[in-house]
Amino acid sequence: MIRFVCLLFLIAPLYGQDRMQWFQHDKFGMFIHWGPYSYLAGEWKGQQIPVGTEAEWIMQRFNIPVAEYREMAHNLNPVQFDAKAWVALAKATGMKYLVITAKHHDGFAMYASKVSKYNIVDWTPFHRDPLMELSQECKKAGIRFCVYYSHREDWDHPDGFGNNWDYPRQGKNFDRYLEEKSKPQLRELLTNYGPLGLVWFDRGMDTPEHTRQFVDLVRQLQPQCLINGRVGSYGADLMGDYQNMNDNGMPTGGLQEYWETPQTLNTTWGFSKFDQQWKTPADVIHRMVEIVSKGGNYLLNIGPMADGTIPAASVATLRGVGEWMQKNSESIYGTSASPLADPNWGRITVKGDALFLHVFSWPADGKLRIAGLINDALEAHPLLDSANRLAVSKSYGTTLISLPVRPINSPDTVIVLRVNGTPKAEPTVITQGSDTPLLLDYSSAVTSGRAMKRFNRDGGFHIAKWMGPSDSATWQVLVSQAGQYHLRIRYAAGAESKGDRYRISVGHQVAEGQVLPTGDGYQYSTVDLKTLVLKSGRISVTIAPVSQLGHNLMFLHSLELVPDGPIMVE
Ligand code: H79
């Protein structure tokens, strides 16, 4: 029995890894928001959704009665819809997966559902199933077909979350909604459309128990299908396969888990006739490279019109991105995050012993500077001109590359730099200004063991997953002002961590503390630990649990060394 359990432990993470391979490789997906809200296009009885807010929220925003919204939904008739053309556009843009709203918060199903007549086949004159057509075209094109399903929010069902204008909150039986609609529809999607790449849930779930039921349903019907992080209750630990940043969110980097950021092409997800704030191909390429340079995936949205037309401005932008991808995608697919700090001229992606230097702004002196790279440079050339060997040198820890006079492929010219072995960075050293606290947070930490830098789904970042003394985080700190410092720790912790001991070494000095729970979710609070006297000079600071724990020690936000008043010069 014990042996069997051990075997499961060995295999389980491998299974997870295996499932994640395509996701990690592919980087770039198309998100599609399409539903009855697309017909309203941001306007209801003369009232407009302001540019900058979500047009697919129109039912909730204007408290449109269910009866009236249902009546409106009969008008959806996307006669211009062309699954082949949509998939071809995704493919030409370099996107490798496609996620479409099977049901958004308004409760309308964009596929042939037997669970509720409130779906595009039964409710509209269109009588076709766009998800079936898209899934078939995706299969032909080698694009992974995926669905978005809003599993908690439903403004149409009397027991769903969110519609308190038609259905008072007090009378709701949420379990009934889950059993009658949410789970049966998810079951249909997992059964009728072939293998799904992933299911994209939204807005979390109310409890970990309910979340578990959705995770189990996906695992049971399609074990290879990925589950996004928003399946879960936001206060609890991740129960999906990867994290999502907030809508349009961008981390500062350093995350050590699988993640994806959903982003808009203008400022809304569902189509709005008012929103013309389109991103340019350069904007999209720069965002994509930034995301990939930090180890994430980019899920970029289009909001087709009610008739099935994709707005011309979106098509134009995607075509521009596609032209760049056609030539440069080697520097995107299958790459991983750069270990180096963000350079001011662009971003860096990494594959094997190659660094792809994405130059967004051309250095005026023609010299590209890369700080903190430990490896020796072997050779450099533009990705699109491999015969053009560029001179490389190293001086005072900075690698210098002499660039061609002009960019080869604006808005992002890629230079390939080959080095000896896997690219490694000099550790970040935290320095201090005058009388300012030294902040030791996730971004400059080096983690060991199981300790991981993570996103918390409330929009913050922390270090978690420490279970024993070998799971640690370390910072290199340059103290320039000798004197007295207050050591502070900022963290969130659940009840299970109460009394857990942790140890912080600051140079040769040691401080110990015991975890105090901070409540449910990620309610960070700051605790003063100890006053220390520090000399000036370089020290390392390390934190780890004192003993083996059966659970996570804490969600560490940061350590702080706060100078105690004016400081005497040594
Ligand atoms: O599907 C897209 C959004 O509709 C969905 N997620 C992406 C992928 C989403 N669900 N919830 N939220 C986004 C956040 C909710 C924001 C809100 Fe509001 C702020 C809801 C009410 C206030 C923005 C402003 C929307 C309506 C008014």
Side-chain angles (χ1 to χ4, degrees), residues 31-33 37 49-50 52-58 60-61 101 104-105 148 150 153 155 200-203 230 234 246-248 262-264 268-270 299 301:
F31 213 175
I32 304 177
H33 275 69
Y37 44 81
I49 296 280
T53 46
E54 293 94 333
E56 73 282 0
W57 275 73
I58 192 162
Q60 194 261 14
R61 178 129 194 156
T101 47
H104 203 262
H105 310 335
Y148 169 108
S150 180
E153 199 89 6
W155 304 328
W200 217 96
F201 296 98
D202 207 354
R203 285 185 78 75
R230 292 192 192 176
Y234 285 175
N246 295 350
D247 292 355
N248 286 305
Q263 302 210 352
T264 49
T268 173
W269 304 89
L299 185 60
N301 183 70

Side-chain angles (χ1 to χ4, degrees), residues 1 55 65 102 131 168 177 258 277-278 355 374 436 457 461 476:
M1 178 62 189
L131 266 61
Y177 161 68
Y258 298 109
Q277 295 186 19
W278 300 104
L355 295 112
I374 292 180
T436 52
R457 274 167 298 134
F461 302 91
Q476 301 301 324

Side-chain angles (χ1 to χ4, degrees), residues 10 74 98 130 142 146 165 212 240 298 303 331 335 348 375 425 453 464 470 473 550 565:
L10 278 176
H74 284 307
L98 181 151
C146 314
W165 59 97
R212 171 57 56 201
Y298 189 20
S331 64
T335 61
I348 301 171
N375 310 62
K453 305 181 192 182
S470 55

Side-chain angles (χ1 to χ4, degrees), residues 100-338:
I100 183 162
T101 47
K103 186 204 83 162
H104 203 262
H105 310 335
D106 65 358
F108 186 84
M110 291 296 284
Y111 70 97
S113 175
K114 297 218 160 35
V115 173
S116 154
K117 285 255 174 275
Y118 195 43
N119 72 74
I120 188 163
V121 179
D122 295 316
W123 200 262
T124 78
F126 192 53
H127 298 309
R128 276 160 58 191
D129 180 346
L131 266 61
M132 185 57 75
E133 295 178 27
L134 283 168
S135 68
Q136 288 164 352
E137 292 301 331
C138 278
K139 192 169 176 201
K140 286 188 217 159
I143 295 214
R144 276 171 213 269
F145 179 71
C146 314
V147 296
Y148 169 108
Y149 190 84
S150 180
H151 60 326
R152 184 178 85 129
E153 199 89 6
D154 197 305
W155 304 328
D156 188 73
H157 193 286
D159 295 307
F161 247 85
N163 180 346
N164 300 325
W165 59 97
D166 282 295
Y167 311 119
R169 198 190 296 256
Q170 305 83 273
K172 289 189 186 186
N173 178 345
F174 185 56
D175 277 293
R176 188 160 62 199
Y177 161 68
L178 296 183
E179 297 308 321
E180 269 181 9
K181 187 169 180 186
S182 190
K183 286 189 211 167
Q185 287 202 326
L186 179 59
R187 192 175 273 280
E188 289 181 321
L189 292 163
L190 287 159
T191 310
N192 299 338
Y193 297 88
L196 303 179
L198 56 87
V199 180
W200 217 96
F201 296 98
D202 207 354
R203 285 185 78 75
M205 195 24 89
D206 61 333
T207 63
E209 292 71 31
H210 279 148
T211 305
R212 171 57 56 201
Q213 295 168 11
F214 280 84
V215 170
D216 287 348
L217 189 57
V218 178
R219 295 284 187 252
Q220 177 203 334
L221 294 172
Q222 292 206 25
Q224 289 299 310
C225 176
L226 303 186
I227 299 170
N228 76 327
R230 292 192 192 176
V231 67
S233 28
Y234 285 175
D237 210 10
L238 179 70
M239 289 170 83
D241 290 300
Y242 67 88
Q243 292 274 24
N244 281 107
M245 294 301 110
N246 295 350
D247 292 355
N248 286 305
M250 187 79 88
T252 51
L255 293 185
Q256 294 171 317
E257 57 191 340
Y258 298 109
W259 62 270
E260 171 190 69
T261 178
Q263 302 210 352
T264 49
L265 206 42
N266 46 359
T267 70
T268 173
W269 304 89
F271 176 69
S272 161
K273 59 187 166 192
F274 306 112
D275 187 347
Q276 300 300 328
Q277 295 186 19
W278 300 104
K279 295 186 180 66
T280 63
D283 294 334
V284 171
I285 292 164
H286 291 171
R287 273 168 193 261
M288 170 169 58
V289 171
E290 166 134 38
I291 291 161
V292 173
S293 80
K294 293 170 176 170
N297 280 25
Y298 189 20
L299 185 60
L300 178 59
N301 183 70
I302 58 166
M305 296 187 246
D307 71 354
T309 309
I310 300 172
S314 305
V315 175
T317 297
L318 296 186
R319 294 252 179 255
V321 175
E323 269 170 43
W324 184 90
M325 281 295 275
Q326 201 80 43
K327 303 180 200 137
N328 296 280
S329 66
E330 186 189 336
S331 64
I332 300 291
Y333 302 138
T335 61
S336 46
S338 163

